[in-house]
Amino acid sequence: MTVSFSIIKEDARTGARAGVLHTLRGDVETPVFMPVGTQATVKTMTPREVWDLGGRLILSNTYHLYLRPGADLIREAGGLHRFMGWTGPILTDSGGFQVFSLASLRRIEEEGVWFRSHIDGSEHFFSPEKAMAVQEALGSDIAMAFDQCAPYPCTYEEAREAMERTSRWALRCKEARRREDQALFGIVQGGVHRDLREKSAKDLVELDFPGYGIGGLSVGEPKDIMYQVLDYTVPLLPREKPRYLMGVGSPDCLLEGVARGVDMFDCVLPTRIARNGTVFTRDGKLVVRNAGYARDFRPLDPECDCYACRHFTRAYIRHLIKANEVLGIRLTTIHNLHFVLELMRNIRRAILEGNFYDYKEAFLARWNKN
Amino acid sequence: MTVSFSIIKEDARTGARAGVLHTLRGDVETPVFMPVGTQATVKTMTPREVWDLGGRLILSNTYHLYLRPGADLIREAGGLHRFMGWTGPILTDSGGFQVFSLASLRRIEEEGVWFRSHIDGSEHFFSPEKAMAVQEALGSDIAMAFDQCAPYPCTYEEAREAMERTSRWALRCKEARRREDQALFGIVQGGVHRDLREKSAKDLVELDFPGYGIGGLSVGEPKDIMYQVLDYTVPLLPREKPRYLMGVGSPDCLLEGVARGVDMFDCVLPTRIARNGTVFTRDGKLVVRNAGYARDFRPLDPECDCYACRHFTRAYIRHLIKANEVLGIRLTTIHNLHFVLELMRNIRRAILEGNFYDYKEAFLARWNKN
C-alpha cells in the first residue's frame, strides 16, 4: 500500500483521533494541516521555510499546474517534488473544484467538463481519466478522484446529480489509475443533504479507497451547517482510513473538524489573509494593516514565538505592507502558517494527553471573545 | 571617532586597497558592496538572509523613510536598526539624490529644496539641517551630507552651481551634526568636469570628513566617462579615508571602481533587475523570464552555490516569475546579491593575495564575451 494510516489514540469525549499517515516520502502525524502550494509554491515561502514551520504534507493544485507550466513540463523536470524542491509528500487535488469555481464557460457532460482557462481563455477538457493522467504526470503521493462539487446554495436535484456523477467518476478514476506509487483518495459529495451524503459515502466506501475526502463543504454555507454535515457524514466513513475535510483552515473549524473525527485539512485562508495584512492571534484575527497599529511596537501576537514575532513589530510589518514590500506579506504568512501548524501540534498533543475537549473549549472561548 | 578606516593592503598594479571600516556596530571588510534597503527592508529579504549572504553594511534611504513611515515613528521604535531588525551598521543617504530624481515640483534655494512627495503629492522642504535631523532620528551609523546632484547631461554652469552649493551645504551639515555616535561623510560633486571635481574635492577635504562619497556618477553618462572621472577624482581624496562611489553596482563597474581606489559601493541594480527576472552569471546577464528557459533544468548559474542555484532550476524560477509568485523574485534576488557579495569577497582576497589585476582581467574577459 502506497499510503497507510495508523491510529495512535482516539479521544474519549469527542471523535478526535491522533494518528500517523505513512507515505513513501515519510510519515505525517495527524491531525494534519496541509499548506497550499497552488502554483508549485506555498505563496511567498521557500520549501525549507515551510518545513521549518512544521509543514510535512503540502497540497498542490492540478488545475493550475496543468494550465501553467503544464504537466508535461513538470514530468520532464522529474515530477513536482523535484520541480519545486519539496522532498516531503504532496497531495494533489483533482482539479474538479477549480474547474467548477475558477474556470468559465463550463459544459458538464457525463464524459467530463469543458472549461476555459482563467489565464488566457483557452478551451480545455477534463475527465476522470484526464485528471488521473495529469496527477500521475505531476507524481504526487496522494491523488484525489475527479469530482463534481455542487455550489451552495443549490437545489436538492443539483446536489443529487453532482453526487451521483462523483460516484461514477470515482470508479473511472480508480480504473484509470496506473501509478503504483501514488495513492488515490475518493471524495464524498452530497451537499447539505443527509441522505445524499449517506448514498455518496456508501458508493465511495464500496470502492475501498485508502482515504476519503469530504468535499462540497466550506463553500459558503454557515459553519453550523458544515458541522452538522460532518456530524452525520464522518461516522459513515471507515474508522481505519484517513478522513480529509477539503478547503477548511480557520482555527475554529480545524478544532471542530478534529472533534468530529477529521484527520486532514487544507486551506488557502491562513496564507491568503496574510497577504491582505490580517493575522491570527490567540484572541482572534488582527488586521495589522489598520492605521491603529502604525505605532504599535508589540509583536503580531505577543504569545507567539515564530520568526516574525520574535524579531518584528506590528508597526514595522504595517509599514512594509503599506509600502508594498514583499517582506511584509512574508512575515504575516510565516506567522499565520506557524499559528495553524502549531495549533495542529497542540491539538495532537491534547488528544494524546486525553484533554482535547478542554483544550478545544478553552481555545474557542478566547478566540470567540473578540 | 565613530567610524575609522584601516588599510590592510594596497595593490601594486592598480589603485585597489583592501581595508576594514570600523564602526560601533562591527567591522566591515572593504571593498564592500552595500545592499540597499530603501524602505527599511532590502527588497524581498529578511535581515537574517542579507546577513547570511554576507551583507555587513546596508544602505537605507532618508527620503523614503522620511515620507513613510516618518522619521519620528522610527525614532519612537528605537531607531532604524531596531525598527527593521538589522543589528549591523547602516549608512543612510542624505535624501539629496532622491529629492532631485524622484520628487516633483522642486524649487532649489540656497536654504534648501522644496519638493512634492512621489507618494501623495504633499509638499516638503529639505535643507542640510533637516537632512541631518532626519538621519539623526533614524540613527544610522554613517550619515551622508545633503548634496545637490546635477543631472547628466547638464551645462558646465549647472554642474558648477550644484558643486559649489554642495560644498556650502556640506559645511552646514557638519555644523548641524549633533550625534556623537553617527559619522558624517561628505560628497564630492562636479559632474564630468575635472576642474569642478578638483574644486569640490579640495572644499570637502578641507572640512575633514571621516569618509568621502563620490556623487553624480552612474547617472546616465557612459561608463568610460565615469572611469575617467574616477581616474582624476580618487587621487584628490585622502589615502587614509574610505571612498564611496554612490549608486554603482554592476559587476564590471565594481571591478573598475576598486581598481581606481574605491572602497564602498551601493546600488539597487542587483535587486532591481532580479525582480524583472534578470540574473547575473559568470558569462554576463541572463533573462530567465525569457521563453527559452521554460524547459531549462539547469541552475541560474551552474557555477554558483547560492540557495537558489543549489535547489532550483531556471525552468522553475521562470515559472514562478511568469505566475507572479513572490518566491521567484526572492530566488533571483538571493542569487544576484550573492553574486555581487561573493564578487566583493573574491576581489578582496585577490587584493590580499596580490593578484587583483589578473582576477579583474579574467573576470571581465568572460563577462564581456557575451
Side-chain angles (χ1 to χ4, degrees):
Chain A
M1 185 89 88
T2 311
V3 162
S4 62
F5 185 59
S6 316
I7 295 172
I8 307 292
K9 173 141 186 194
E10 292 175 288
D11 190 43
R13 295 185 67 182
T14 72
R17 354 46 96 87
V20 178
L21 188 71
H22 308 281
T23 82
L24 297 178
R25 284 191 175 82
D27 285 355
V28 178
E29 298 188 335
T30 65
V32 63
F33 175 81
M34 297 181 273
V36 178
T38 299
Q39 302 192 107
T41 164
V42 177
K43 284 191 192 298
T44 80
M45 312 273 288
T46 63
R48 181 196 282 174
E49 287 167 342
V50 175
W51 183 267
D52 288 347
L53 288 176
R56 289 295 175 268
L57 170 61
I58 65 169
L59 177 144
S60 202
N61 289 103
T62 294
Y63 166 86
H64 289 86
L65 296 178
Y66 161 80
L67 290 178
R68 182 173 61 194
D72 285 350
L73 190 154
I74 291 178
R75 188 190 351 232
E76 270 181 57
L80 183 55
H81 299 80
R82 281 192 63 181
F83 184 60
M84 68 182 289
W86 175 259
T87 54
I90 300 176
L91 179 149
T92 43
D93 65 5
S94 66
F97 182 77
Q98 278 72 30
V99 163
F100 290 101
S101 62
L102 283 182
S104 59
L105 269 182
R106 319 178 281 276
R107 198 168 64 248
I108 306 168
E109 303 168 355
E110 184 58 22
E111 180 60 21
V113 187
W114 290 94
F115 61 94
R116 284 197 185 278
S117 159
H118 73 287
I119 299 170
D120 62 6
S122 55
E123 198 172 57
H124 300 269
F125 182 71
F126 252 48
S127 62
E129 293 76 17
K130 181 67 177 282
M132 288 306 295
V134 173
Q135 291 183 85
E136 293 189 342
L138 299 177
S140 53
D141 302 274
I142 302 174
M144 298 301 296
F146 190 62
D147 62 330
Q148 182 178 347
C149 178
Y152 180 89
C154 72
T155 66
Y156 177 88
E157 203 48 38
E158 288 169 329
R160 190 180 61 78
E161 275 181 26
M163 178 277 287
E164 290 179 348
R165 180 167 288 126
T166 295
S167 293
R168 292 191 296 273
W169 284 358
L171 173 61
R172 282 169 57 190
C173 283
K174 194 176 169 180
E175 289 175 345
R177 176 173 176 262
R178 293 288 170 273
R179 277 187 84 140
E180 285 301 320
D181 60 350
Q182 184 181 62
L184 172 64
F185 282 16
I187 300 177
V188 175
Q189 289 287 353
V192 296
H193 307 283
R194 183 164 188 163
D195 61 326
L196 299 183
R197 288 284 174 183
E198 284 170 350
K199 175 67 164 62
S200 180
K202 183 168 169 291
D203 291 348
L204 273 291
V205 171
E206 271 173 18
L207 293 175
D208 192 25
F209 289 105
Y212 295 91
I214 302 167
L217 291 178
S218 198
V219 292
E221 80 285 1
K223 287 180 179 176
D224 283 353
I225 301 283
M226 176 170 84
Y227 300 151
Q228 280 173 28
V229 174
L230 290 177
D231 280 334
Y232 56 67
T233 302
V234 173
L236 304 169
L237 301 173
R239 171 186 167 275
E240 68 282 6
K241 300 284 178 69
R243 304 147 176 173
Y244 160 30
L245 178 55
M246 305 177 76
V248 165
S250 79
D252 48 343
C253 294
L254 292 170
L255 285 157
E256 297 293 357
V258 168
R260 286 161 177 82
V262 174
D263 307 296
M264 302 165 65
F265 304 85
D266 82 283
C267 195
V268 296
L269 181 86
T271 44
R272 178 171 292 166
I273 66 174
R275 297 195 303 282
N276 292 327
T278 299
V279 295
F280 294 135
T281 77
R282 304 299 186 272
D283 296 304
K285 289 182 200 165
L286 183 150
V287 185
V288 72
R289 71 175 296 139
N290 283 351
Y293 300 109
R295 295 180 131 79
D296 189 332
F297 300 115
R298 290 173 293 175
L300 292 175
D301 178 353
E303 293 169 52
C304 178
D305 66 350
C306 80
Y307 175 72
C309 288
R310 276 184 288 118
H311 293 89
F312 306 98
T313 62
R314 295 172 180 177
Y316 180 60
I317 292 170
R318 175 180 186 270
H319 160 66
L320 293 176
I321 289 174
K322 297 297 286 182
N324 290 316
E325 287 286 358
V326 162
L327 182 58
I329 61 173
R330 283 187 60 191
L331 294 175
T332 54
T333 299
I334 287 170
H335 172 78
N336 279 359
L337 266 188
H338 171 84
F339 190 94
V340 168
L341 292 168
E342 188 184 55
L343 173 63
M344 300 312 288
R345 289 190 290 269
N346 289 338
I347 284 173
R348 190 171 195 273
R349 188 181 310 117
I351 296 170
L352 292 175
E353 293 174 355
N355 55 13
F356 170 70
Y357 181 83
D358 293 339
Y359 175 79
K360 167 176 167 283
E361 292 302 303
F363 185 99
L364 292 176
R366 194 169 161 193
W367 177 266
N368 290 321
K369 219 162 81 180
N370 264 27
Chain B
M1 186 86 91
T2 309
V3 162
S4 63
F5 184 60
S6 315
I7 295 171
I8 307 291
K9 173 144 185 190
E10 292 175 287
D11 190 44
R13 295 186 67 181
T14 72
R17 350 55 93 86
V20 178
L21 189 70
H22 308 281
T23 82
L24 297 178
R25 285 189 173 82
D27 285 356
V28 177
E29 298 189 334
T30 65
V32 63
F33 175 82
M34 296 181 272
V36 178
T38 299
Q39 303 192 106
T41 164
V42 177
K43 283 189 193 300
T44 81
M45 311 274 289
T46 63
R48 180 197 282 174
E49 286 167 343
V50 175
W51 184 267
D52 287 348
L53 288 176
R56 289 296 175 267
L57 170 60
I58 63 171
L59 177 143
S60 201
N61 290 102
T62 294
Y63 166 85
H64 289 86
L65 296 178
Y66 160 80
L67 290 178
R68 183 172 60 193
D72 286 349
L73 190 152
I74 291 178
R75 188 192 350 233
E76 269 180 58
L80 183 55
H81 299 79
R82 281 192 64 183
F83 184 61
M84 68 181 291
W86 175 259
T87 54
I90 299 176
L91 179 149
T92 43
D93 65 5
S94 66
F97 182 76
Q98 279 71 30
V99 162
F100 290 101
S101 62
L102 283 183
S104 59
L105 269 181
R106 318 178 279 277
R107 198 168 65 247
I108 306 167
E109 303 168 354
E110 184 59 22
E111 180 59 21
V113 188
W114 290 94
F115 62 94
R116 285 195 186 279
S117 159
H118 73 289
I119 300 171
D120 63 7
S122 55
E123 198 172 56
H124 300 269
F125 182 72
F126 252 47
S127 63
E129 293 76 16
K130 181 67 177 280
M132 289 305 295
V134 173
Q135 291 183 86
E136 294 189 341
L138 299 177
S140 53
D141 301 274
I142 302 174
M144 298 301 296
F146 190 63
D147 61 330
Q148 181 179 347
C149 178
Y152 180 89
C154 71
T155 66
Y156 177 88
E157 203 48 38
E158 287 169 329
R160 190 182 61 78
E161 275 179 28
M163 178 276 287
E164 290 179 349
R165 181 168 288 125
T166 295
S167 293
R168 294 190 296 272
W169 284 359
L171 173 61
R172 283 168 56 189
C173 283
K174 192 175 171 183
E175 289 176 345
R177 175 173 176 263
R178 292 290 170 271
R179 278 187 82 141
E180 285 301 320
D181 60 350
Q182 185 180 61
L184 173 64
F185 282 18
I187 300 178
V188 175
Q189 289 287 353
V192 297
H193 307 283
R194 182 165 189 163
D195 61 328
L196 299 183
R197 289 283 174 184
E198 284 170 350
K199 175 66 164 63
S200 180
K202 182 169 169 294
D203 290 348
L204 272 291
V205 172
E206 271 173 19
L207 293 175
D208 193 26
F209 289 105
Y212 295 91
I214 302 166
L217 292 177
S218 198
V219 292
E221 80 284 1
K223 286 180 180 177
D224 283 353
I225 301 282
M226 176 170 84
Y227 301 151
Q228 280 173 29
V229 175
L230 290 176
D231 280 335
Y232 56 67
T233 301
V234 173
L236 304 168
L237 300 173
R239 170 188 167 275
E240 69 282 6
K241 300 283 178 71
R243 304 145 175 175
Y244 160 31
L245 178 54
M246 306 176 77
V248 166
S250 80
D252 49 343
C253 294
L254 292 170
L255 284 157
E256 297 292 358
V258 169
R260 286 162 178 81
V262 174
D263 308 295
M264 302 164 65
F265 304 85
D266 83 283
C267 195
V268 296
L269 181 84
T271 44
R272 178 171 291 166
I273 66 174
R275 297 195 303 283
N276 292 327
T278 299
V279 295
F280 294 135
T281 77
R282 303 301 186 271
D283 296 303
K285 289 183 202 166
L286 183 150
V287 185
V288 72
R289 72 174 296 139
N290 283 351
Y293 300 109
R295 295 180 130 78
D296 189 331
F297 300 114
R298 290 174 294 175
L300 292 175
D301 178 352
E303 293 169 52
C304 178
D305 66 351
C306 80
Y307 175 73
C309 289
R310 275 182 288 118
H311 292 90
F312 305 98
T313 62
R314 295 173 180 178
Y316 179 61
I317 292 170
R318 175 181 186 270
H319 160 66
L320 293 176
I321 289 175
K322 297 297 284 182
N324 290 315
E325 286 286 357
V326 162
L327 181 58
I329 61 172
R330 282 186 61 191
L331 294 175
T332 53
T333 299
I334 286 171
H335 173 77
N336 279 359
L337 266 188
H338 172 84
F339 189 95
V340 170
L341 292 168
E342 189 184 55
L343 172 63
M344 300 311 288
R345 289 190 290 270
N346 288 339
I347 285 173
R348 191 171 196 272
R349 187 181 310 116
I351 297 170
L352 292 175
E353 293 174 354
N355 56 13
F356 170 71
Y357 181 83
D358 293 339
Y359 175 80
K360 167 175 167 284
E361 292 302 304
F363 184 99
L364 291 176
R366 193 169 162 194
W367 177 265
N368 290 323
K369 220 163 82 180
N370 265 27

